[in-house]
Amino acid sequence: MDNKAYALKMQGITKRFPGTLANDHITIECEHGKVLGLLGENGAGKTTLMNILYGLFRPDEGQIFIDGEEVEIQSPSDAINHGIGMVHQHFKLVDTLTVIENVVLGLPTMKQVLDLAPAKEKLLKLCHEYELFVDPDAEVWRLPVGQQQWVEILKALYRDCKVLVLDEPTAVLTPSESNNLCRAISKITAQGKSVIFISHKLREVMEITDNVTVLRDGKVIGTIATKDATQLKLAEMMVGRAVEIERRPRAKVPADSEPVLVMKDVNVYDERGVHALKNFNLTVHAGEIVGVAGIDGNGQRELAECISGLIKPQSGTIEIKGKPVTGVISDPSFLGFIPEDRHKTGLVLDFTVAENLIIKEYMKAPFAKKGILQYKEIGSHANEMIDKFHVKTSSKDVAVKTLSGGNQQKVVIARELNPEPILDIASQPTRGLDLGAVMGVHDVLMQERERGAAVLFISAELQEVMALSDRIIVLYSGENMGDLDGDTADQAVIGQMMLGKRI
Ligand SMILES: Nc1ncnc2c1ncn2[C@@H]1O[C@H](COP(=O)(O)OP(=O)(O)OP(=O)(O)O)[C@@H](O)[C@H]1O
Ligand SMILES: [Mg+2]
């Protein structure tokens, strides 16, 4: 096919960062009205390539063609003018502005227009057309993340993009939101627009895409028509061997094992006044992994946050090893907390990898002596953690924001599980991780259990909860719907409980 057949072609794109060859002569092609999946392990170079397309980085080599014409993209406004729209892996909305303000932000006409009514009308039309509903007047921070994503997509459509890039859009979506997104994507492609879809969820890639390009270490491993692919084949292309999330051996928790976390009749109302946890009871023992299944947004965040003391329940008691939780737990030997939103609560983006690895303990020996930071100790600790958790970074001394999304997550995990806490709360710890890294996190949580830690594992991926948990509880609308044995739990039954059915 000649270049004209493609809505977008990126050819021979190379991008070097100090110490990293992020993109090594990458060529991708996306046809009109088609969805191209972009797959690859954490750090493979997907986001970098898309940032080049969007004018955020300049490539060292390579060309970009849109509808067969070579274009120069020096800035996001160039990209937008060429019809490129992008929903970033980490959203870039302004939280304190309303939806419609975010949508018109940066438009050339905005300076003169103070009357937002016509813009609102246009936005509402798009909402209906793509069935992505949001209230134009809502402040963005009040919206659930799923709807924040609709805003990002609508913003691109408002600018009449021809190629829409979605960088891990479903990592933060509930299953029903993912379905809405799929429906919107087929409407977008039906109009002849093209979509580039990045995801680590192979099932979705199989469902949504027409073609898939797989990257590894900055290089194209291959491009395949989705109809000729299988999940296993894609995993093999990504990792270099066939891998699947596998069921792990269960622990036999002795009957007299010590209860580590005990929650009794806990009630939590969230900042919007919604009853987020209802008369919630739960006990987790030393040496077991308790999985929390449930569709995202059913109280998972509040559960994790009230155990770690970040929010205070309105009633009920929470005890860790017999001690009531009364405020934020800052003792790292007590609690390891892998938070859901690693950007807001997990990392200081401008600090180095090494610094982020000791943030909780930086005033303690061996990292500080008499108030002076011991950089040698900090450095060797960092190298040890980078090794142990396979963090892909050019050095321990680069700002953590230069790591790929998945590798930032590994830094949080490494820090939280060191030094060995008695209770681990892992809240969506594998979100955004590639398959190999997902299994790495599973290994780590299993090791934590072997060591005798109590592990609370919260995940919206049912397959994962079933693979790892000794015991499973189901969270629905803030209620604990029941306790199931990890060995005998049935996927269909859990699925029903996740939708609110009591068994
Ligand atoms: N601004 C930067 N400075 C230095 N290195 C960078 C920068 N941005 C990205 N990198 C490096 O480039 C490589 C590719 O990163 P990229 O974010 O493109 O990966 P990715 O495929 O999107 O991974 P993930 O699935 O984890 O999001 C990584 O090794 C990363 O550390
Ligand atoms: Mg990325």
Side-chain angles (χ1 to χ4, degrees):
M1 274 202 265
D2 73 40
N3 284 352
K4 268 221 160 354
Y6 299 111
L8 169 74
K9 176 165 182 168
M10 296 178 80
Q11 186 170 317
I13 301 285
T14 293
K15 178 71 189 172
R16 295 181 194 90
F17 292 114
T20 313
L21 181 53
N23 288 172
D24 185 359
H25 298 93
I26 293 182
T27 295
I28 61 166
E29 292 158 341
C30 189
E31 294 165 45
H32 294 278
K34 294 281 160 71
V35 183
L36 174 69
L38 205 51
L39 264 182
E41 292 181 289
N42 298 128
K46 307 177 294 291
T47 299
T48 302
L49 186 69
M50 292 302 107
N51 282 340
I52 288 171
L53 178 62
Y54 202 58
L56 290 165
F57 295 145
R58 298 282 294 149
D60 298 314
E61 289 169 47
Q63 297 151 292
I64 299 174
F65 300 89
I66 290 177
D67 292 330
E69 301 289 328
E70 183 169 357
V71 294
E72 276 285 316
I73 298 178
Q74 312 237 15
S75 66
S77 63
D78 282 352
I80 292 166
N81 290 337
H82 286 298
I84 313 278
M86 177 134 165
V87 178
H88 296 272
Q89 187 167 4
H90 303 112
F91 298 165
K92 298 204 185 298
L93 297 171
V94 184
D95 268 5
T96 48
L97 295 184
T98 64
V99 168
I100 189 67
E101 287 165 345
N102 267 285
V103 167
V104 299
L105 192 69
L107 283 177
T109 50
M110 198 181 114
K111 292 188 189 75
Q112 309 107 38
V113 191
L114 286 171
D115 177 14
L116 288 172
K120 261 191 230 177
E121 200 173 312
K122 178 169 168 189
L123 178 67
L124 284 172
K125 235 177 108 210
L126 290 171
C127 289
H128 277 96
E129 192 174 344
Y130 296 98
E131 296 182 58
L132 299 174
F133 297 103
V134 282
D135 170 5
D137 294 314
E139 286 170 16
V140 162
W141 68 272
R142 288 181 188 272
L143 298 177
V145 296
Q147 286 192 24
Q148 294 189 11
Q149 184 165 105
W150 301 165
V151 179
E152 293 269 20
I153 295 172
L154 291 163
K155 185 172 176 170
L157 292 167
Y158 191 97
R159 286 159 176 69
D160 198 23
C161 64
K162 288 186 279 186
V163 177
L164 177 63
V165 178
L166 302 169
D167 194 351
E168 295 195 39
T170 57
V172 297
L173 298 184
T174 66
S176 82
E177 287 171 336
S178 293
N179 288 340
N180 292 351
L181 177 66
C182 286
R183 197 176 50 209
I185 290 177
S186 36
K187 291 186 175 171
I188 291 168
T189 51
Q191 297 172 339
K193 298 178 194 286
S194 308
V195 172
I196 297 183
F197 181 80
I198 302 179
S199 169
H200 291 289
K201 300 183 187 173
L202 299 179
R203 190 169 24 85
E204 285 174 5
V205 171
M206 291 293 298
E207 241 175 70
I208 295 177
T209 64
D210 298 292
N211 294 290
V212 182
T213 296
V214 179
L215 305 183
R216 198 193 305 157
D217 286 333
K219 292 188 197 57
V220 173
I221 292 299
T223 296
I224 181 170
T226 310
K227 63 175 176 20
D228 302 328
T230 61
Q231 288 192 40
L232 211 57
K233 167 85 187 148
L234 293 176
E236 198 175 340
M237 286 170 78
M238 258 170 70
V239 191
R241 63 193 156 94
V243 282
E244 264 182 316
I245 292 182
E246 57 197 18
R247 196 173 170 114
R248 302 302 185 100
R250 310 292 169 197
K252 281 283 158 269
V253 184
D256 60 351
S257 174
E258 189 187 3
V260 171
L261 171 70
V262 180
M263 302 178 69
K264 284 198 185 124
D265 293 324
V266 172
N267 283 287
V268 173
Y269 291 84
D270 72 8
E271 67 268 31
R272 283 170 285 168
V274 176
H275 200 169
L277 278 186
K278 296 177 189 156
N279 298 322
F280 188 87
N281 291 293
L282 175 68
T283 302
V284 185
H285 298 86
E288 72 171 342
I289 300 178
V290 174
V292 180
I295 297 170
D296 236 0
N298 275 277
Q300 287 90 335
R301 188 165 59 88
E302 290 77 10
L303 174 62
E305 290 187 353
C306 72
I307 299 170
S308 56
L310 283 172
I311 55 173
K312 204 173 154 4
Q314 275 69 21
S315 67
T317 57
I318 304 174
E319 288 182 358
I320 301 178
K321 264 214 157 165
K323 286 198 197 127
V325 173
T326 51
V328 179
I329 300 175
S330 56
D331 181 352
S333 61
F334 214 57
L335 176 73
F337 180 32
I338 303 167
E340 199 170 312
D341 186 341
R342 48 192 177 263
H343 271 184
K344 290 212 174 95
T345 39
L347 294 167
V348 182
L349 290 174
D350 287 317
F351 282 20
T352 67
V353 173
E355 287 163 346
N356 271 284
L357 281 166
I358 57 148
I359 266 172
K360 283 167 81 179
E361 307 167 87
Y362 72 101
M363 269 322 191
K364 289 194 194 144
F367 304 127
K369 279 187 192 142
K370 301 201 175 110
I372 296 167
L373 289 178
Q374 303 295 309
Y375 279 101
K376 211 166 140 246
E377 297 289 347
I378 294 171
S380 57
H381 170 71
N383 285 333
E384 202 182 302
M385 292 295 116
I386 288 168
D387 250 24
K388 182 169 168 197
F389 289 89
H390 309 288
V391 180
K392 188 177 172 203
T393 174
S394 54
S395 135
K396 64 183 187 339
D397 300 316
V398 299
V400 85
K401 68 177 174 206
T402 68
L403 269 56
S404 80
N407 283 291
Q408 293 183 8
Q409 174 73 334
K410 294 185 201 170
V411 172
V412 175
I413 294 174
R415 179 188 67 212
E416 290 300 319
L417 301 184
N418 187 67
E420 313 187 324
I422 53 176
L423 172 66
D424 294 331
I425 303 174
S427 188
Q428 320 284 6
T430 61
R431 185 179 273 173
L433 293 190
D434 68 53
L435 208 53
V438 166
M439 291 199 292
V441 170
H442 290 182
D443 287 341
V444 167
L445 294 178
M446 299 266 294
Q447 284 158 18
E448 287 293 288
R449 177 183 77 187
E450 297 317 271
R451 177 175 74 68
V455 181
L456 187 66
F457 173 57
I458 304 172
S459 169
E461 303 288 326
L462 181 53
Q463 192 194 7
E464 196 182 44
V465 173
M466 295 194 63
L468 204 61
S469 313
D470 301 313
R471 213 147 46 80
I472 299 174
I473 67 159
V474 182
L475 198 54
Y476 170 75
S477 187
E479 285 183 64
N480 183 344
M481 300 295 287
D483 217 307
L484 303 163
D485 185 305
D487 264 334
T488 54
D490 180 73
Q491 182 160 356
V493 172
I494 300 181
Q496 300 239 303
M497 291 167 77
M498 283 166 62
L499 296 172
K501 192 166 169 204
R502 285 200 186 277
I503 47 144

